[in-house]
Amino acid sequence: MNKNNKIVDIVCVALVGAIFGGTALWNIVQPNRPTISESEKRMLATMPEFSLSSLADGSYFAGISSFISDTFIGREQLVGLSKKLDTLTGVDYSVDGEENFVLLNPVSEKREEEDTDAISAAFEALLNGGAQQNEPEKGPENPAPGTPETDPIVLPEVPEDEPEENAPETPEEPEDRPEEPDEHAEPEDKSDEGKSEEPEEPEGSEGSEEPETPDTLENRDEEKGDKEKEPASEADPEKEPESEETEAPEPEGPAVTALQLSRDKMTLTVGSGSVLYATVNAEVGGEDVTVRWTNSNKEAVAISLNPNGGIDVKGLAPGTAILACAYGKDFRETCEVTVTEIEIEVPDYDENMTADFLPDGLFIYGDAVYTQASYSETNSRYYAQTAAYYQKLFGCRVNVIVAPVSSMVIQNPNVTSKIADQGEILDKMAALYDPAVNFVNAYSKLWEHKKDYLFFRTDHHWTQRGAYYAYAAWAESVDLEPTPLEDFEFAIHQEDYQGSMYNWTLNEKVKEFHDSVEVFYPTKKNTMTVTDKNGKTWQFNSCINSNSGYLCFISGDHPYTVINVPENPQDKNALVMKDSFGNAFVPFLCEHYGNIIVVDARHTTMNVYNQLKDYGITDIFFVNNIQAANTYGWAKRYMERVGQYLP
Amino acid sequence: MVFSHLFFLYVFLALLFLAYFAIRNNAWRRGVLVAFSLLFYAWGEPVCVFLMIGLVAADYLFGRLISATRVESRRKLWLVCAIVSNLGVLGFYKYLGFFIETLNTIFNVSIPTVSVTMPIGISFFTFQTMSYVIDVYREDAKVQKSYIRLLLYVSFFPQLIAGPIVRYKDIEAQLESRTVSAADFNEGLFRFSRGLAKKVLIADNCAKVIDSLYGLQEATLLGRWAGAVFFTLQLYFDFSGYSDMAIGLGRMFGFRFLENFNYPLISTSATDFWRRWHMSLGTFFRDYVYIPLGGNRHDQQRNILVVWFLTGLWHGASWNFILWGLYYAVLLMIEKATLLDWFKRIPRIPSKILGHIYTVFITVFGFAIFYFDKNLFRSLGYLFGIGISGLTDLFTSSILADNLFLLAAAIFFAIPVFPYLWKRWGEKIPYTAQRILKTAVVILFVGASTVRLVGNSYSPFLYFRF
């Protein structure tokens, strides 16, 4: 009997030993250990370096433990099995007996205390005092002197329908003359003028002005976007005797007395564009004057006639080009165009880098995962003050678009009574904004369409359809006609998209929901140039590409992106500071702007003011989700991008 | 190192078993056990391992000194030195900060607080070393002339970090030599796997639920009580799980440790509870504090208060722990005075039921005191309905629904259903069947725990940059 028992015992020991001992031995000797986890998007632990200090503080041993557990045999499958085991702990709670409700990740993140007194004081000083820069950075490089000019007779590629330029007269604005000399001066000297506010700017930045002056060429310095004289919009067909001091050769000849270009230096980044105008002063009796444009470096710069009598200039590749404008033999002016790669400084990997969304209080309700928002008056005020500062600094219009998050569309009072009302939050936020800033509240437009597919079910983002309503709300706020949704070319990129929610909650239930990625292509042709975190430039022939999921919108988050829409006036430029919610919004700006510059403040430390102050930004957009607009982190980041380092 | 880690299970144990069972010589076996135990401790405390080695050396010396003389005053002297050094080490590492804070509050002074990191398991091994010296002094145990054997007794990894508090005299003989039959090994494995499952599958999950419930913005009555219940369950499964693993591991090397838990959650009174919960601590205080003070012979009330004050204090360096200890002191005194007699006078079944209900309530409430070292009174207030937003709300109900099965399973396994079934039927089936059943359980529990542990290591880079 006992002997049999003993045999049974030994067999059982051997069995267990084989299974677990075998696993153990394999884990110890395993030759090819994996190094990356695809599903976790991180590097797996490796055998730590030995050192006496790492031994003494315990990190060497902890490293070995991590190493073994990260490279455990069959880890991927076991993790999947473990997640399935998780679902066995209970059942879903149902609201009204119908819709399932499951709270996910309800524990708040520990957020660091901020020194609100110091921060508020800093903002006060900046907004009420002068706007100074903490760290003047070197601006765009000056082009090398002595660039050879080519034969001025060579014509650029010119659209057949508009062979000639007309420059019949100059505007009559003797009273504005005192201001003009400043504008004809070097663009770079304008740095102090950029800081004064111009109430008329909003009109000046709009493209609507240009249709009013089809025949006249304005000597407007568009790049500043600030110093705008009264729009000399009188389309005066008569030629008027106007003489003005110019830097051109002394007025001579019967008809043309002087030729001036709107600028003589221009800096563009790859993929962005601008405009150049020539003003011809003629005496009475001159006929239509035509000028000729030439481009010395067709690889760096492309020019084309624009409908308003100037040329659209686009930067293609780094380099310098001399654009020459000639009239007859006597008059010739040049503009030096430098095309640079934007200086991207990528910050070191920051472990504390906040997401653009905190997985706080996520819940499943019905057939989707929802996200909540909360309100902080202090932080919202900081964000509002940041927008006001940008407005003061750049001097152009600043638009703030705050994207609500998905729980706004829930109607069931059992649920809505437990979560914050985003409509109320947005109203409170709006009250904090300086009247000079255009705060766009998209809540009511989104609420009107709450039954539409406005937010993803498995991702924290809004869909492009949701972003459309924010665009429509913005357009109405600036008296623009939003392009109707039906006018966009519609496509479904992906039928079975799973977004961020699974990775954030690790909850198997989330996998039951599905998303499709609906896409609305801009009505106008556009090209996009993306500078990635390595400084490499990528060209796309649309701002919506074939990347998977939400990444198709402007190709995801990158330090610096330029979208160029040739059909729109090249001097209407938007600067967009955004988090990832902005990605779905930006394509709609292609309806109105010639150049859209998108900067993701998390991925670059470039100073947008220093690098873009001469660009001619006519509108600045802040597009963040409602949580981000309620955190100090984003306000702080945006301020850093204009050289202000707050506590 | 911790038992519920993949490294421990699949590297450390494997290598240890290979080394131990490949050797036949007892002395070498002791050496292997000591070496691995020291490595086990050093894994988490690379510096304080030397503190433990030193403390054992000191107690070894004191033991030798005590036994070397017959002069009573000398013996007492060495005993006092030993107790002072052990308690001194414990006091310094665990209680210094607390002590200074208390002084500051009472006397309104500002002594700068020192912050010392407490070496893990210090509460356990200092008590073990003290028990050795006291037993030698009382001549309940023979002095240990081999430092290595004493070191093995103290540092043996199964009980080093989380108990049970093993008394020297209980395993004195086992230090010398042990036999491990295949049956012993299987039984030890069976015990170990149950402890592992308790910890990984139940206790850790309960911990997550508590975090969820207590993390909600608004407190609800149901939410707060449920949190206290889950905490009680977590503490029980965690602690008893560790004891099971310790006893099981010990058995696999031929050691027989005493039980530490005996299904405390089915107790019928506080008195009964303390005979089932953390029994090694209870007997330690009984043998080394309560009885020397006079026990129930004279000054019983005072003795009870002292012992329970110390019990509470032992659990943590914070006033809520002391309060918890004194809470039990009062309950025990009331029970001794009237309640237990009253229970005896009413018929058996209602008495048992009432006893269970009463005990569950005081236990859960007691562990609520145990849990909150901050905001204690506000948190206790919630249990009485002060400051709550309602009976329950959407979030609370959702969390509870999501963990309904876990709660049911935990309550089920806190009741000795399987021991009862085993006694009635299990022991009657043939040995082979018994062993196969147990082995199946081992494979199931260790396998499921491994799956869980691997799952726990899943830590995606949450903040995607898009």
Side-chain angles (χ1 to χ4, degrees):
Chain A
M1 265 314 234
N2 269 337
K3 210 148 184 173
N4 282 344
N5 289 352
K6 204 153 185 200
I7 294 174
V8 168
D9 280 324
I10 293 178
V11 165
C12 286
V13 171
L15 181 63
V16 172
I19 298 175
F20 296 111
T23 313
L25 283 174
W26 180 251
N27 268 310
I28 298 172
V29 305
Q30 206 186 140
N32 291 325
R33 298 186 191 255
T35 50
I36 293 190
S37 168
E38 283 300 324
S39 53
E40 289 166 82
K41 295 183 170 42
R42 67 175 174 97
M43 301 290 291
L44 294 172
T46 50
M47 191 68 180
E49 287 287 314
F50 178 80
S51 76
L52 280 176
S53 63
S54 74
L55 192 63
D57 66 16
S59 60
Y60 180 66
F61 289 138
I64 298 180
S65 293
S66 304
F67 172 58
I68 292 292
S69 83
D70 265 2
T71 57
F72 198 83
I73 180 177
R75 184 166 181 268
E76 298 283 317
Q77 293 85 340
L78 290 177
V79 164
L81 190 54
S82 174
K83 297 307 158 205
K84 295 212 169 56
L85 282 186
D86 271 341
T87 60
L88 295 178
T89 53
V91 295
D92 293 343
Y93 180 71
S94 71
V95 176
D96 293 343
E98 293 175 10
E99 312 236 53
N100 285 335
F101 184 98
V102 180
L103 188 64
L104 309 167
N105 284 347
V107 181
S108 304
E109 284 267 327
K110 268 268 167 223
R111 273 157 243 192
E112 272 177 37
E113 293 293 314
E114 290 138 6
D115 185 353
T116 50
D117 290 335
I119 301 168
S120 301
F123 267 115
E124 284 304 308
L126 287 171
L127 291 173
N128 299 330
Q132 292 129 33
Q133 302 243 303
N134 273 3
E135 298 169 29
E137 283 174 37
K138 56 183 183 355
E141 284 146 357
N142 288 325
T147 336
E149 298 176 12
T150 53
D151 190 332
I153 306 299
V154 176
L155 290 173
E157 48 274 8
V158 155
E160 259 53 355
D161 44 354
E162 286 181 82
E164 306 289 310
E165 294 243 56
N166 288 320
E169 70 225 1
T170 46
E172 45 136 46
E173 315 154 36
E175 57 278 14
D176 292 344
R177 286 293 172 249
E179 296 173 82
E180 280 184 66
D182 291 333
E183 294 198 347
H184 301 328
E186 303 291 307
E188 280 76 50
D189 295 348
K190 290 289 210 142
S191 46
D192 9 41
E193 291 182 328
K195 294 162 197 156
S196 57
E197 291 180 78
E198 286 289 71
E200 310 103 77
E201 280 144 23
E203 304 156 53
S205 345
E206 283 202 37
S208 53
E209 232 181 280
E210 297 185 66
E212 300 172 67
T213 62
D215 300 317
T216 43
L217 279 177
E218 292 272 24
N219 255 348
R220 277 181 294 179
D221 198 312
E222 309 271 337
E223 287 71 33
K224 290 268 66 71
D226 47 7
K227 245 350 194 149
E228 201 73 5
K229 353 183 245 306
E230 276 77 272
S233 41
E234 65 285 9
D236 230 335
E238 284 111 45
K239 302 175 206 332
E240 295 176 50
E242 212 61 59
S243 67
E244 49 177 292
E245 74 285 13
T246 66
E247 298 141 37
E250 301 81 39
E252 61 184 50
V256 170
T257 52
L259 172 66
Q260 267 175 285
L261 292 181
S262 55
R263 335 170 45 157
D264 54 7
K265 263 192 166 66
M266 185 190 291
T267 312
L268 296 174
T269 61
V270 174
S272 68
S274 189
V275 285
L276 193 59
Y277 292 103
T279 309
V280 183
N281 300 327
E283 286 172 357
V284 174
E287 305 86 27
D288 282 353
V289 178
T290 60
V291 294
R292 287 203 206 99
W293 296 92
T294 56
N295 173 7
S296 71
N297 184 347
K298 296 202 189 62
E299 274 150 24
V301 169
I303 60 177
S304 58
L305 292 175
N306 81 14
N308 305 312
I311 50 168
D312 285 338
V313 184
K314 182 165 177 184
L316 299 175
T320 317
I322 304 287
L323 301 183
C325 176
Y327 175 73
K329 296 188 288 283
D330 301 322
F331 295 96
R332 188 165 178 278
E333 292 302 317
T334 58
C335 174
E336 199 169 1
V337 179
T338 314
V339 182
T340 59
E341 300 266 19
I342 201 74
E343 287 167 40
I344 300 290
E345 288 135 46
V346 179
D348 290 330
Y349 171 62
D350 178 7
E351 281 154 32
N352 298 321
M353 175 164 77
T354 53
D356 53 18
F357 195 85
L358 291 167
D360 212 6
L362 303 176
F363 58 94
I364 292 175
Y365 178 62
D367 67 346
V369 184
Y370 288 94
T371 50
Q372 299 184 45
S374 58
Y375 179 59
S376 157
E377 188 183 316
T378 323
N379 292 338
S380 295
R381 177 167 290 118
Y382 291 150
Y383 191 88
Q385 288 175 313
T386 303
Y389 183 71
Y390 267 68
Q391 202 280 319
K392 191 172 168 195
L393 191 61
F394 280 85
C396 64
R397 179 172 63 199
V398 171
N399 307 277
V400 173
I401 322 275
V402 176
V405 292
S406 52
S407 56
M408 70 160 277
V409 303
I410 299 178
Q411 295 156 77
N412 188 329
N414 286 330
V415 180
T416 55
S417 62
K418 298 309 305 176
I419 59 180
D421 183 331
Q422 292 182 59
E424 272 175 32
I425 294 179
L426 286 169
D427 287 339
K428 288 186 193 149
M429 287 170 108
L432 299 172
Y433 278 76
D434 190 314
V437 172
N438 179 20
F439 180 85
V440 177
N441 189 339
Y443 186 82
S444 42
K445 271 221 190 293
L446 287 164
W447 181 256
E448 253 177 70
H449 296 93
K450 57 188 171 292
K451 292 211 198 300
D452 293 352
Y453 190 18
L454 300 179
F455 293 93
F456 285 105
R457 300 182 193 105
T458 64
D459 196 87
H460 58 298
H461 292 110
W462 56 4
T463 59
Q464 200 186 5
R465 187 185 291 271
Y468 172 77
Y469 293 109
Y471 154 70
W474 165 75
E476 284 170 18
S477 74
V478 295
D479 288 326
L480 274 182
E481 192 62 42
T483 309
L485 193 59
E486 311 81 67
D487 286 2
F488 294 97
E489 186 196 323
F490 174 78
I492 295 188
H493 265 192
Q494 257 173 279
E495 282 286 3
D496 196 1
Y497 172 56
Q498 285 252 306
S500 56
M501 286 307 166
Y502 178 69
N503 280 320
W504 277 357
T505 62
L506 303 180
N507 193 307
E508 290 297 306
K509 294 187 188 77
V510 173
K511 287 204 162 154
E512 295 166 25
F513 310 130
H514 298 285
D515 277 309
S516 59
V517 183
E518 297 185 322
V519 158
F520 298 89
Y521 289 96
T523 59
K524 302 185 182 171
K525 260 184 61 65
N526 56 90
T527 58
M528 178 167 75
T529 309
V530 168
T531 309
D532 70 14
K533 298 177 196 106
N534 303 315
K536 182 163 181 228
T537 329
W538 301 77
Q539 308 277 354
F540 297 90
N541 55 17
S542 170
C543 61
I544 297 182
N545 65 17
S546 57
N547 285 348
S548 103
Y550 194 76
L551 290 174
C552 67
F553 301 116
I554 69 169
S555 184
D557 293 339
H558 295 283
Y560 184 87
T561 303
V562 181
I563 301 172
N564 180 270
V565 188
E567 283 173 64
N568 286 332
Q570 292 298 292
D571 47 5
K572 275 204 71 185
N573 305 313
L575 168 63
V576 182
M577 308 291 292
K578 54 107 204 149
D579 64 19
S580 60
F581 280 70
N583 298 1
F585 179 87
V586 162
F588 295 113
L589 295 179
C590 294
E591 303 301 305
H592 305 283
Y593 291 92
N595 295 288
I596 305 162
I597 298 180
V598 187
V599 172
D600 192 317
R602 292 167 292 179
H603 298 304
T604 175
T605 53
M606 70 184 266
N607 183 316
V608 298
Y609 180 68
N610 285 347
Q611 296 218 33
L612 297 173
K613 63 181 189 280
D614 300 329
Y615 192 90
I617 302 287
T618 54
D619 264 290
I620 296 181
F621 288 84
F622 285 76
V623 190
N624 283 97
N625 70 75
I626 191 171
Q627 264 210 20
N630 260 296
T631 58
Y632 171 53
W634 276 95
K636 182 173 180 181
R637 206 171 278 138
Y638 286 154
M639 291 303 279
E640 284 173 10
R641 297 289 75 75
V642 286
Q644 297 298 341
Y645 290 78
L646 296 171
Chain B
M1 219 189 296
V2 171
F3 296 156
S4 57
H5 273 178
L6 291 170
F7 181 81
F8 172 79
L9 296 170
Y10 288 94
V11 179
F12 182 88
L13 270 190
L15 294 175
L16 173 57
F17 285 139
L18 277 178
Y20 187 84
F21 290 107
I23 300 173
R24 293 282 154 193
N25 178 296
N26 276 327
W28 281 90
R29 279 188 166 185
R30 275 193 293 277
V32 164
L33 288 182
V34 169
F36 273 82
S37 297
L38 290 180
L39 177 65
F40 180 90
Y41 193 66
W43 203 262
E45 297 286 348
V47 176
C48 282
V49 64
F50 295 106
L51 172 74
M52 182 187 58
I53 293 174
L55 196 63
V56 175
D59 284 305
Y60 167 76
L61 214 59
F62 288 128
R64 295 293 301 262
L65 286 168
I66 289 177
S67 72
T69 170
R70 311 227 64 171
V71 182
E72 182 55 32
S73 60
R74 279 274 177 77
R75 298 178 87 240
K76 246 205 175 92
L77 169 70
W78 296 130
L79 175 70
V80 167
C81 284
I83 293 182
V84 163
S85 46
N86 281 295
L87 287 181
V89 163
L90 179 63
F92 174 75
Y93 278 100
K94 190 167 175 179
Y95 297 104
L96 186 59
F98 173 58
F99 183 62
I100 292 179
E101 261 171 53
T102 315
L103 280 184
N104 281 346
T105 341
I106 298 182
F107 298 113
N108 223 343
V109 289
S110 270
I111 312 174
T113 37
V114 212
S115 103
V116 187
T117 30
M118 189 185 86
I120 194 171
I122 192 171
S123 313
F124 289 95
F125 68 73
T126 47
F127 271 32
Q128 286 196 193
T129 47
M130 274 199 296
S131 94
Y132 164 71
V133 178
I134 297 175
D135 282 351
V136 167
Y137 172 81
R138 287 179 177 179
E139 293 178 353
D140 282 340
K142 281 211 333 261
V143 67
Q144 179 52 259
K145 295 229 170 86
S146 152
Y147 173 70
I148 292 290
R149 272 170 241 211
L150 189 62
L151 187 58
L152 176 60
Y153 158 64
V154 177
S155 72
F156 188 44
F157 73 92
Q159 32 82 321
L160 173 61
I161 304 241
I165 299 175
V166 177
R167 300 285 196 80
Y168 178 75
K169 59 183 193 260
D170 290 335
I171 60 151
E172 198 177 346
Q174 299 169 47
L175 290 171
E176 167 57 36
S177 75
R178 304 159 296 286
T179 50
V180 186
S181 64
D184 279 329
F185 195 86
N186 275 318
E187 281 302 313
L189 199 53
F190 181 56
R191 192 68 189 266
F192 176 79
S193 67
R194 277 153 48 210
L196 185 65
K198 276 182 175 177
K199 164 86 172 101
V200 174
L201 299 178
I202 301 187
D204 287 349
N205 281 326
C206 287
K208 288 196 192 129
V209 180
I210 299 164
D211 285 342
S212 303
L213 287 171
Y214 288 161
L216 292 176
Q217 291 263 20
E218 287 170 2
T220 60
L221 194 63
L222 186 59
R224 288 275 146 174
W225 276 104
V229 168
F230 272 101
F231 180 64
T232 305
L233 290 167
Q234 182 213 337
L235 207 55
Y236 166 65
F237 282 100
D238 201 291
F239 210 167
S240 70
Y242 261 105
S243 294
D244 282 346
M245 287 194 270
I247 293 170
L249 283 171
R251 184 90 184 254
M252 287 197 265
F253 294 104
F255 286 95
R256 297 294 189 98
F257 296 144
L258 297 181
E259 290 297 321
N260 209 13
F261 285 87
N262 183 17
Y263 293 95
L265 298 182
I266 60 162
S267 309
T268 50
S269 67
T271 316
D272 189 22
F273 181 81
W274 280 100
R275 292 199 201 109
R276 292 166 173 268
W277 176 280
H278 201 356
M279 301 188 293
S280 62
L281 183 73
T283 52
F284 181 96
F285 276 124
R286 179 197 66 197
D287 291 343
Y288 296 119
V289 181
Y290 189 63
I291 290 179
L293 282 180
N296 53 13
R297 306 259 170 90
H298 49 90
D299 277 330
Q300 186 181 38
Q301 315 272 41
R302 174 203 68 172
N303 297 340
I304 289 180
L305 281 170
V306 168
V307 165
W308 287 100
F309 175 87
L310 291 176
T311 305
L313 183 62
W314 180 90
H315 279 83
S318 174
W319 280 106
N320 66 307
F321 293 111
I322 295 175
L323 187 62
W324 175 77
L326 294 174
Y327 163 84
Y328 269 112
V330 168
L331 281 172
L332 287 170
M333 288 196 279
I334 295 176
E335 283 183 8
K336 275 202 206 322
T338 59
L339 203 55
L340 290 178
D341 287 334
W342 188 82
F343 275 141
K344 285 206 182 81
R345 274 190 240 119
I346 58 176
R348 195 161 175 272
I349 303 232
S351 157
K352 278 217 129 90
I353 293 177
L354 275 177
H356 284 309
I357 295 175
Y358 154 75
T359 311
V360 165
F361 178 76
I362 58 167
T363 308
V364 169
F365 186 77
F367 281 128
I369 303 175
F370 191 88
Y371 182 84
F372 289 105
D373 52 353
K374 294 197 237 306
N375 296 320
L376 176 62
F377 293 110
R378 181 161 57 128
S379 309
L380 292 181
Y382 288 141
L383 293 178
F384 291 114
I386 303 168
I388 54 161
S389 70
L391 175 64
T392 178
D393 68 12
L394 187 62
F395 298 145
T396 307
S397 303
S398 158
I399 295 171
L400 290 177
D402 208 24
N403 290 286
L404 208 53
F405 299 157
L406 174 67
L407 182 64
I411 292 176
F412 180 76
F413 285 109
I415 302 172
V417 174
F418 284 109
Y420 171 76
L421 290 176
W422 190 258
K423 242 202 178 74
R424 277 212 67 196
W425 293 309
E427 282 172 359
K428 305 204 169 75
I429 63 178
Y431 186 81
T432 313
Q434 289 184 28
R435 186 50 64 204
I436 290 178
L437 268 178
K438 286 186 174 174
T439 307
V441 168
V442 167
I443 296 175
L444 175 66
F445 279 172
V446 177
S449 302
T450 305
V451 168
R452 210 62 181 83
L453 288 174
V454 174
N456 287 346
S457 78
Y458 184 81
S459 64
F461 181 55
L462 286 185
Y463 300 126
F464 301 126
R465 295 173 169 124
F466 77 94

